[in-house]
Every structure is written in structure tokens, then in C-alpha cells.
Amino acid sequence: MNDEVTVVDNQERKRYEARVNGALVGVLAYSVHEGVVVMPHTVVEPQYEGRGFGGLMAERALDDAREHGLKVLPQCWFVAAYIEKNPQYADLVVSR
């Protein structure tokens, strides 16, 4: 069975959402302050952990930040670890 996986930026709720066949399986919360995207936490439903959904959300959020000329403050350990493993995003990181 081929699952349909989507990641969308739910701007109204200020979070990226990963969905499988329409069902919400994870969220990456964010807020934007003075040109910096603060990412405080990422959550993936336990039954979907380890399947790459957190990484898909992190990649989308970081790509969107770059596209919009924003810096990133990864307060979430998962996003920080993702950036360490994917150094092409290191230039986006700002410390506060």
C-alpha cells in the first residue's frame, strides 16, 4: 500500500504538519520574531516515530526559512540535531 505523505505549513496555527493519508502524524511548531524563525518543539505520534516524518518537517521548515530570507533559532533538540546532520542548513542558525 502506498501511503500519501504530505507536509504543509499551517500558518494559522504556526506549525508544520506531517500527514499520512490525511491523518495528522506530527507537528513542528514555530514563531517568527524580527526575521528569526523560532522552532521550540517537534512532535511525532509514537506509532509513526522513526519513519522520517520529523526530518521531512524540519527540511520543509528550513527550506521555507531560506526561501524567505529568515534565520532560524532551533530551540527544539530534534531540529538542532537535524541541522548538525545536514550542514547545508548551518548558515541559517542564529544564537540568542
Side-chain angles (χ1 to χ4, degrees), residues 62 70-74 79-80 83-84 89-95:
L62 294 165
L70 302 170
K71 291 293 186 181
V72 172
L73 180 59
V79 175
I83 291 169
E84 264 188 45
Y89 295 112
D91 62 307
L92 295 176
V93 178
V94 65
S95 58

Side-chain angles (χ1 to χ4, degrees), residues 9-30:
D9 178 3
N10 183 334
Q11 294 180 356
E12 187 174 294
R13 298 190 75 177
K14 296 198 181 320
R15 67 187 196 179
Y16 285 85
E17 299 175 345
R19 294 181 178 272
V20 175
N21 299 326
L24 184 65
V25 301
V27 298
L28 185 157
Y30 70 88

Side-chain angles (χ1 to χ4, degrees), residues 7-76:
V7 175
V8 297
D9 178 3
N10 183 334
Q11 294 180 356
E12 187 174 294
R13 298 190 75 177
K14 296 198 181 320
R15 67 187 196 179
Y16 285 85
E17 299 175 345
R19 294 181 178 272
V20 175
N21 299 326
L24 184 65
V25 301
V27 298
L28 185 157
Y30 70 88
S31 60
V32 180
H33 305 281
E34 299 172 2
V36 177
V37 182
V38 179
M39 299 179 185
H41 70 270
T42 303
V43 178
V44 174
E45 294 296 325
Q47 65 268 35
Y48 291 96
E49 287 179 354
R51 293 176 50 188
F53 298 114
L56 288 172
M57 290 185 294
E59 179 181 36
R60 172 73 188 274
L62 294 165
D63 286 346
D64 284 357
R66 184 181 308 285
E67 184 179 318
H68 293 100
L70 302 170
K71 291 293 186 181
V72 172
L73 180 59
Q75 292 178 331
C76 168

